[in-house]
Amino acid sequence: MHIGPYRLPNALFVAPMAGVTDRPFRQLCRRFGAGYAVSEMVTSRKDLWHTLKTSRRADHAGEPGPIAVQIAGTDAAMMAEAAAYNVDRGAQIIDINMGCPAKKVCNKWAGSALMQDERLALQIIEAVVAACAPRGVPVTLKMRTGWCAQVKNAPTLARAAESAGVQMVTVHGRTREQGYKGQAEHDTVAAIKAALRVPVVANGDIDSPEAAQAVLRATGADAVMIGRAAQGRPWLFREIAHFMATGERLAPPLVLEVRRALLDHLHDHYSLYGDYTGVRSARKHIGWYVRSLPGGEALRERINALEAAELQWQAVADYFEEMAARHERLPLGEPASQPAGELEAR
């Protein structure tokens, strides 16, 4: 499929997740078969553009294109300026965030809160498109089905967004009110796909090859976007691609392959964040990788007590080396504990 002038290698996308989809994570998912990845959201507040947090979020060094940056905010002029600023820094696609349900975002009327004010939402869309179109930069939109079960206005907003020039729409099959509770519904996605000419992407509860195939068939969507299910399991994209091509499930990845992937991920993570912040922010990633593995909880507890990058890296290396002596492939099992850390996944 295409987003504007960009032809994507497949229809498997990485969802933008605050605190998760930084450059090392995006590159890792691309390495395992994702065809497209969107950055974690960047604020439209100009006074925060030069902070360390924002500069890390906007880091795309060495990343394969197209470079997609998600922006969030509540003021049309500020959002347009943020779009132009990120294009100047290398963004090739700008994504508007109207899907994040996090309270600290919605309390400021950004993210999915914008779906309560269709007039403002459309003003923002029009302003961002006006800033990007002269530069040849496509604008995409990510949203939820609506604010609550009684007001599922995503189809109305999607049609207005397409008319305003948006070139792709992604829909998470839950309302803002739901957060991540209950099951995602994709009937709304199907209705939007039937009404639009631009590509439509389905997001929400796509956690297996079978689920990806079922959602695509049920909605007619052009692609699927995967978020939380890829945490600690970036090879999910490869598994889905194989299943959709052959109808067969791939064997679990080799333990030594996972070891190499996680150690490479940690190396890139430390390089981006530095040792002090990197060690602490890497804990959640390590926790996601090992949460369903034998001895994973014990490793997670040990990791959380380590404060040096080399010690954390070595503990992970030793853990998987010992596992490789007992298992050729990653042993399957139910998660033994909840994922480490908190995030604002969308």
Side-chain angles (χ1 to χ4, degrees):
M1 63 169 284
H2 289 75
I3 303 176
Y6 300 107
R7 184 179 184 275
L8 305 181
N10 62 39
L12 306 176
F13 298 175
V14 185
M17 296 177 284
V20 180
T21 48
D22 52 20
R23 174 174 49 78
F25 184 83
R26 293 193 302 270
Q27 289 180 311
L28 182 68
C29 290
R30 295 288 291 268
R31 171 175 157 185
F32 276 104
Y36 180 65
V38 184
S39 74
E40 50 186 327
M41 64 181 177
V42 176
T43 180
S44 62
R45 285 181 52 187
K46 193 172 184 177
D47 59 309
L48 297 178
W49 288 350
H50 299 291
T51 64
L52 183 58
K53 182 176 181 179
T54 297
S55 67
R56 284 170 174 161
R57 288 187 171 193
D59 189 317
H60 300 277
E63 192 171 355
I67 303 301
V69 174
Q70 186 182 78
I71 58 175
T74 60
D75 180 87
M78 289 174 61
M79 287 285 279
E81 190 175 6
Y85 172 79
N86 281 283
V87 170
D88 288 342
R89 288 174 58 87
Q92 296 167 298
I93 297 172
I94 293 293
D95 185 63
I96 299 173
N97 177 357
M98 290 190 190
C100 181
K103 287 184 178 179
K104 71 177 184 180
V105 175
C106 289
N107 285 347
K108 298 175 183 176
W109 287 88
S112 55
L114 284 170
M115 297 188 73
Q116 290 184 97
D117 189 338
E118 293 181 15
R119 183 170 174 271
L120 175 59
L122 187 55
Q123 286 175 349
I124 288 173
I125 291 168
E126 291 172 341
V128 173
V129 170
C132 292
R135 300 162 179 253
V137 173
V139 175
T140 62
L141 173 67
K142 188 171 191 292
M143 60 182 175
R144 292 203 158 216
T145 57
W147 180 256
C148 62
Q150 293 73 36
V151 186
K152 290 190 177 181
N153 58 340
T156 301
L157 269 174
R159 288 192 296 270
E162 181 184 53
S163 296
V166 162
Q167 297 190 44
M168 185 180 78
V169 174
T170 300
V171 185
H172 183 115
R174 289 182 174 88
T175 63
R176 160 61 182 89
E177 190 177 61
Q178 282 181 272
Y180 293 97
K181 297 176 182 177
Q183 283 190 311
E185 59 89 2
H186 295 290
D187 289 345
T188 303
V189 182
I192 291 171
K193 173 57 186 172
L196 268 55
R197 297 180 302 279
V198 299
V200 174
V201 182
N203 174 226
D205 291 354
I206 300 168
D207 57 3
S208 69
E210 291 83 359
Q213 186 176 74
V215 168
L216 285 171
R217 286 176 175 174
T219 62
D222 300 277
V224 290
M225 182 173 277
I226 298 163
R228 291 171 295 159
Q231 293 166 1
R233 191 183 164 199
W235 48 87
L236 176 59
F237 298 98
R238 182 175 68 186
E239 293 175 346
I240 293 172
H242 181 83
F243 183 80
M244 293 180 69
T246 67
E248 299 177 352
R249 271 266 195 171
L250 268 181
L254 297 169
V255 172
L256 289 179
E257 181 186 23
V258 174
R259 179 182 185 270
R260 182 170 59 253
L262 177 49
L263 293 180
D264 288 348
H265 185 186
L266 290 176
H267 175 76
D268 290 346
H269 194 86
Y270 302 146
S271 296
L272 178 62
Y273 293 98
D275 284 2
Y276 181 84
T277 300
V279 164
R280 286 153 181 78
S281 56
R283 290 169 181 164
K284 60 178 178 283
H285 289 282
I286 298 169
W288 291 327
Y289 274 93
V290 305
R291 65 185 176 222
S292 62
L293 299 179
E297 178 62 23
L299 176 68
R300 190 177 72 84
E301 291 179 1
R302 182 185 172 199
I303 287 295
N304 288 346
L306 297 176
E307 297 188 358
E310 62 271 18
L311 294 179
Q312 187 182 72
W313 191 95
Q314 193 61 53
V316 170
D318 292 345
Y319 170 81
F320 279 98
E321 189 171 346
E322 292 169 8
M323 183 179 295
R326 302 189 303 273
H327 305 278
E328 180 184 19
R329 294 189 177 274
L330 209 64
L332 300 177
E334 293 299 318
S337 62
Q338 293 298 312
E342 296 182 355
L343 61 149
E344 302 150 16
R346 299 194 296 290

